[in-house]
Amino acid sequence: MALPAKGPASAEGPCSTPSTTEAPARAACHPVDEKLPASRLVPAALQHIAAMYAGVVTPPLIIGQAVGLDAAGMTRLIAASLLIAGCATILQTLGVRNFAGNRLPFVNAASSAGIAPMLAIAETSAPGHELPAIYGAVMVAGVFCLAVGPFFGRLLRFFPPLVTGVVITLIGVTLMPVPVSWAQGGDRTAADFGAMKYLALAGFTLVVVLMFQRFGRGFLKQIALLLGLLIGTLAAIPFGMADFTALREAPVAALPTPFAFGAPEFQPAAILSLCIVMLVLMTESSAGMLALGEICDRPSDGKTITRGLRTDGIATLIGPVFGGFPTSAFAQNVGVVSLTRVRSRYVVAVAGGALLVLGAFPVLGAVVSMVPMPVLGGAGIVLFGSIAVSGIRTLSEAGLDDSSNIILVAVALGAGIIPLAAPTFYAGFPAWAQTVLGSGISAGALVAVLLNLFFHHLGTRSRHSAPALKSS
């Protein structure tokens, strides 16, 4: 069913779900700008929180353990990550005039892509100086993003559906090991990793989601993911597979203190590595905005990309003041939008507000963390798989009857899957090359763009080419 055309009023301001008695202009509200009633808004926001929570707390958990933080320090680090994610997500969804925010149902939070370089910085820093060195490099990376971001919008002529379809597909495919690991228990070092009890719980959760998708109607079908997580968690309790330790030990309130882990230190090598990481994150974030624009039927133009990347830069620059890390798009939440078809940006803004509350009151965050990893894994298979399906749908409209396009997609997908199939493939490459090529999303995007230039831009006028988009 065709969506209403986007008008000037719906592009910037909110609009409520229309009733039959309202004016026709009210009915022209774009789904992205729709303000849902609380009965639909809250459950939809909870689905986003459930999908993102594990990813938001992963970087602080890993970095905190690597630098030897105690329980109190870990709590502060996780709380800071949640708070920064909440602020960035609210800024991204609601926006500030034409300065920042892509005004899409887009989640921003600390990216796991920066974990490996930050661990390397910690290993080469003196004891007690690990986090200050990391935070100094992250702050400079934020400035770098703010400086380079405006130019990304002008590159969208090199991202036709042929390229974006490859990138969207790779986002789903390369993320699939995450829910698979969750389904096996989440902790690869545990003796019972991959035990049948974990796989059974993940399978049960997956079946619950499928049953609600098959037999649910209306709103129940839209919140199938949330219902799967809830029922899966309840099923885990009698078997002792739900951990309540975090709930018992978490403090009620814990507001972050500026520079609680020391003043930032600026080391040239650390700064260089994080700026390279930021380029990768900007590519992935741009790909996420392009994907979400297609899913929401509101294509992302140059100005949208620029405002979105500016939000990334602001969050990455300010985050280290309170204990945050490099911020980028969360692809799993793109999957939530694709799966549920609830495209209102206000749903994600409410989820961002909930992240702020979870960060300020860790005891509430502990309740969310009670969802067992296998339950997240069962739901995550549907979640990330739906992203790949969105990419395949885009590719189906990209002219694959052309042999050069087939070669482009084949080679780009192959390049993106290499890090997944052979994680040590690039071990002999320089560190900067490992950073770029080690991410299947960025490697596939780079190859797709280069091959698109080769086949459709160099020495020929392509049907895919378009005028460069102006950025704000």
Side-chain angles (χ1 to χ4, degrees):
M1 182 175 67
L3 291 171
K6 179 179 70 174
S10 67
E12 298 295 337
C15 45
S16 302
T17 303
S19 67
T20 56
T21 60
E22 289 177 322
R26 195 66 164 170
C29 174
H30 194 284
V32 170
D33 298 315
E34 185 180 8
K35 294 187 71 176
L36 303 176
S39 59
R40 293 179 59 198
L41 184 71
V42 174
L46 287 176
Q47 285 191 132
H48 280 280
I49 294 169
M52 78 175 79
Y53 188 84
V56 174
V57 302
T58 294
L61 278 173
I62 295 176
I63 301 298
Q65 291 172 354
V67 301
L69 291 182
D70 57 15
M74 292 292 290
T75 298
R76 288 199 301 269
L77 209 61
I78 292 172
S81 186
L82 290 166
L83 284 166
I84 296 301
C87 291
T89 299
I90 291 172
L91 178 60
Q92 194 72 273
T93 52
L94 301 184
V96 176
R97 296 184 180 274
N98 290 322
F99 178 72
N102 56 32
R103 296 184 179 87
L104 290 170
F106 198 77
V107 172
N108 278 75
S111 173
S112 296
I115 290 177
M118 288 189 288
L119 289 176
I121 294 172
E123 290 175 1
T124 57
S125 299
H129 293 264
E130 299 95 340
L131 284 177
I134 290 173
Y135 287 141
V138 172
M139 293 180 77
V140 176
V143 175
F144 176 75
C145 180
L146 289 172
V148 176
F151 301 101
F152 259 67
R154 298 172 185 169
L155 301 178
L156 289 186
R157 60 177 298 197
F158 304 116
F159 287 85
L162 194 67
V163 174
T164 57
V166 169
V167 175
I168 297 167
T169 303
L170 284 173
I171 289 175
V173 171
T174 59
L175 283 174
M176 196 54 69
V178 176
V180 170
S181 176
W182 290 347
Q184 297 176 88
D187 185 1
R188 293 182 179 274
T189 63
D192 61 349
F193 179 75
M196 185 54 66
K197 62 179 181 180
Y198 295 141
L199 300 180
L201 182 58
F204 172 75
T205 304
L206 175 59
V207 169
V208 171
V209 174
L210 294 177
M211 288 297 102
F212 277 106
Q213 279 289 323
R214 172 62 180 85
F215 299 107
R217 293 291 181 270
F219 182 59
L220 284 180
K221 192 171 184 176
Q222 287 184 338
I223 62 169
L225 191 70
L226 180 62
L227 292 172
L229 292 170
L230 176 61
I231 295 173
T233 301
L234 293 175
I237 293 175
F239 298 97
M241 297 170 67
D243 188 4
F244 295 91
T245 304
L247 183 61
R248 290 193 298 267
E249 296 180 354
V252 175
L255 291 175
T257 304
F259 301 118
F261 302 100
E265 299 177 4
F266 302 96
Q267 301 177 5
I271 290 171
L272 179 61
S273 66
L274 263 296
C275 284
I276 293 173
V277 168
M278 202 66 220
L279 279 174
V280 175
L281 296 183
M282 291 168 71
T283 302
E284 294 185 356
S285 198
S286 298
M289 283 182 265
L290 290 168
L292 196 56
E294 293 295 327
I295 292 168
C296 294
D297 292 312
R298 177 176 282 180
S300 298
D301 58 12
K303 293 182 179 180
T304 302
I305 298 292
T306 297
R307 293 197 307 266
L309 293 178
R310 190 170 286 141
T311 303
D312 286 357
I314 292 171
T316 301
L317 172 61
I318 298 177
V321 175
F322 301 99
F325 297 110
T327 298
S328 185
F330 258 39
Q332 51 263 54
N333 294 89
V334 176
V336 173
V337 177
S338 177
L339 180 66
T340 64
R341 303 303 294 171
V342 177
R343 291 166 282 181
S344 171
R345 58 192 171 105
Y346 297 101
V347 167
V348 177
V350 169
L355 287 177
L356 287 175
V357 176
L358 292 175
F361 298 94
V363 67
L364 297 178
V367 173
V368 180
S369 68
M370 284 168 50
V371 178
M373 283 292 179
V375 174
L376 286 173
I381 290 174
V382 179
L383 199 62
F384 299 146
S386 65
I387 301 176
V389 170
S390 296
I392 294 170
R393 185 169 59 235
T394 301
L395 285 174
S396 69
E397 303 170 356
L400 290 185
D401 53 337
D402 188 312
S403 60
S404 61
N405 289 348
I406 294 175
I407 293 295
L408 186 157
V409 172
V411 176
L413 287 176
I417 293 174
I418 285 176
L420 192 65
T424 60
F425 186 84
Y426 297 109
F429 283 58
W432 64 268
Q434 292 184 45
T435 300
V436 176
L437 300 177
S439 165
I441 300 171
S442 59
L446 179 63
V447 171
V449 169
L450 291 177
L451 289 181
N452 182 56
L453 283 171
F454 177 70
F455 284 117
H456 299 303
H457 287 268
L458 296 180
T460 182
R461 292 186 61 84
S462 166
R463 66 179 179 272
H464 296 296
S465 62
L469 291 163
K470 295 181 180 180
S471 56
S472 59

